[in-house]
Amino acid sequence: MDGTARPVAQPVERIWLSPPDQSGTEAALLAQAVASNWIAPAGPFIDAFEHAIACATGIPHVAALASGTGALTLAYRLLDVGPGDAVWTSTLTFKATIAPAALMGARPVFLDVDPGTWTMDPGLLEEALAAAARRNALPKVVVPVDLYGHPADLATIGAVCARWDVPVVADSAEGLGATMHGRHAGAGALMTVYSFNGNKIVTCGGGGALASANADLVTRARKLATQAREPAPHYEHNELGYNFRLSNLLAAVGVAQMSDLARRVARRRAIFAAYRAVVDQLPGYGMMPEAPWARSSRWLSVMVGPDHFVPEELRCAMDAAGIECRPLWKPMHMQPVFRDAERIGGAVAEDLFARGLCLPSGGGMSDADQDRVIDVLRRVLSSH
């Protein structure tokens, strides 16, 4: 020891999968909401947030709610989903898509996905609906899911379902900012659900929305979301409802976040493109596809590898380097809680789950941070 002081190594800051990306105006609007004393689940920022969502999506009527799961619950309630009703949805999704219906006693039916979009396969849906019609066993509702920012082919799915008069509820929790066939993700469904959870491209810290072209549905959703209270000076209830209201404080954050949605999408797409430039050079590896009729928001950047690829090996290497990655959604028909549910296909979703990994995609991630991710990516994948 020569007595010379040596610099202490600084801990490397962890890179998260999809942390909140602030616009810079959240604190000011939040302070404004606090100063106004509107710190309840009512207030002007809720109206402004609903208006911002309507303008961004082109869906005229919007109810801002406490969560996307709450919005799905209301959508199923508005369709009178109940015990024994069949609810068809994509198997490659998060549990919240189907859990509210299952809790109402409905029968989940899980459909496989199209390898070109990773969303509900319209051809498979058409075949299954035709077969169900012959058995007099059509579903109560079909719920296509926008996945990782890529919209489902709602135009085709809607046309197929209209043939048998089956309503469509779009789970666009992951689709805000994406477009399909020139329309915003979720547009054209009877009802559409968006999420503003902490990891989404726009967040309130928590929150959701139910949107529809049908004003009556949204009006009824608002009533159910406020304990189904009747218009009386006292508390009068003719039916059971929920406490699904969004706080005016959280809505203020949402207004700030919605103000630069286009920038958020552009940044996520740039992050995806940087990954793709590397991954496409590796034989057998690739990134999540994008249909010619779609423009994904690339909420998450997702890669897939060849048959010998073990995503968990890469995930662990990333974790050791202070980087968070995650497997794809485990298909619903593979989940123990739905072990007895009916499924239609499933091989495509199973294959994607086995070979896919979600990479850090936060809009606030610096180029230097993404270079850290790419360095580990190259090191691990080049060894195979």
Side-chain angles (χ1 to χ4, degrees):
M1 299 289 290
D2 60 6
T4 303
R6 289 175 172 79
V8 177
Q10 295 299 313
V12 176
E13 186 173 350
R14 187 166 180 82
I15 299 173
W16 300 101
L17 182 71
S18 183
D21 173 22
Q22 294 198 42
S23 67
T25 60
E26 287 85 355
L29 294 188
L30 191 55
Q32 184 179 328
V34 172
S36 72
N37 205 34
W38 282 107
I39 57 173
F45 278 112
I46 295 176
D47 296 337
F49 188 41
E50 291 174 345
H51 179 70
I53 297 167
C55 290
T57 63
I59 305 175
H61 307 289
V62 178
L65 302 163
S67 69
T69 304
L72 282 159
T73 301
L74 292 173
Y76 291 133
R77 173 75 179 271
L78 290 168
L79 290 173
D80 294 321
V81 169
D85 288 334
V87 175
W88 291 15
T89 190
S90 169
T91 189
L92 194 57
T93 186
F94 179 57
K95 184 187 71 170
T97 301
I98 193 64
L103 288 169
M104 292 172 178
R107 289 188 302 107
V109 177
F110 300 117
L111 279 73
D112 208 351
V113 295
D114 183 331
T117 67
W118 300 11
T119 64
M120 183 180 287
D121 185 331
L124 183 64
L125 172 66
E126 184 172 20
E127 293 173 5
L129 284 174
R134 291 192 293 270
R135 303 191 311 270
N136 194 29
L138 287 167
K140 185 83 168 186
V141 57
V142 168
V143 188
V145 179
D146 298 337
L147 192 75
Y148 300 129
H150 194 293
D153 187 358
L154 203 54
T156 304
I157 289 170
V160 167
C161 289
R163 215 170 298 161
W164 286 281
D165 199 26
V166 175
V168 174
V169 169
D171 181 351
S172 292
E174 303 170 22
L176 188 71
T179 58
M180 48 92 197
H181 299 288
R183 306 180 74 184
H184 193 279
L190 177 63
M191 289 177 278
T192 300
V193 168
Y194 297 104
S195 171
F196 303 99
N197 190 36
N199 62 1
K200 293 300 190 293
I201 197 165
V202 164
T203 181
C204 302
L210 181 69
S212 178
N214 186 317
D216 292 339
L217 286 173
V218 174
T219 297
R220 177 149 170 73
R222 281 204 186 92
K223 178 184 177 184
L224 290 171
T226 52
Q227 300 287 15
R229 182 182 176 183
E230 300 297 327
H234 58 278
Y235 285 91
E236 182 83 9
H237 305 278
N238 296 331
E239 58 185 332
L240 297 176
Y242 314 87
N243 182 9
F244 283 167
R245 299 172 296 176
L246 181 68
S247 160
N248 190 60
L249 298 181
L250 296 185
V253 176
V255 170
Q257 294 257 307
M258 286 295 294
S259 68
D260 65 346
L261 178 59
R263 178 198 65 82
R264 294 168 181 276
V265 172
R267 178 59 184 150
R268 299 262 178 164
R269 286 181 64 85
I271 288 169
F272 181 93
Y275 285 134
R276 184 172 56 192
V278 175
V279 172
D280 283 355
Q281 295 175 11
L282 301 167
Y285 293 90
M287 299 294 290
M288 182 178 181
E290 184 176 66
W293 43 263
R295 185 176 187 269
S296 174
S297 70
R298 299 302 188 190
W299 167 56
L300 290 185
S301 292
V302 189
M303 62 164 291
V304 289
D307 291 340
H308 67 267
F309 175 53
V310 182
E312 184 63 4
E313 180 182 339
L314 177 57
R315 190 196 67 79
C316 289
M318 291 284 191
D319 187 59
I323 299 166
E324 183 187 27
C325 294
R326 280 194 194 159
L328 272 67
W329 298 127
K330 184 176 183 179
M332 289 298 100
H333 73 269
M334 298 175 67
Q335 296 285 354
V337 69
F338 296 125
R339 65 172 63 88
D340 298 324
E342 181 183 349
R343 66 182 172 98
I344 302 171
V348 176
E350 290 177 15
D351 180 59
L352 291 171
F353 174 63
R355 297 187 297 114
L357 190 69
C358 300
L359 303 174
S361 310
M365 182 169 58
S366 68
D367 291 344
D369 282 345
Q370 189 171 19
D371 287 342
R372 273 180 56 196
V373 179
I374 288 172
D375 286 344
V376 179
L377 195 64
R378 281 199 177 108
R379 173 169 56 80
V380 175
L381 299 188
S382 61
S383 66
H384 289 277

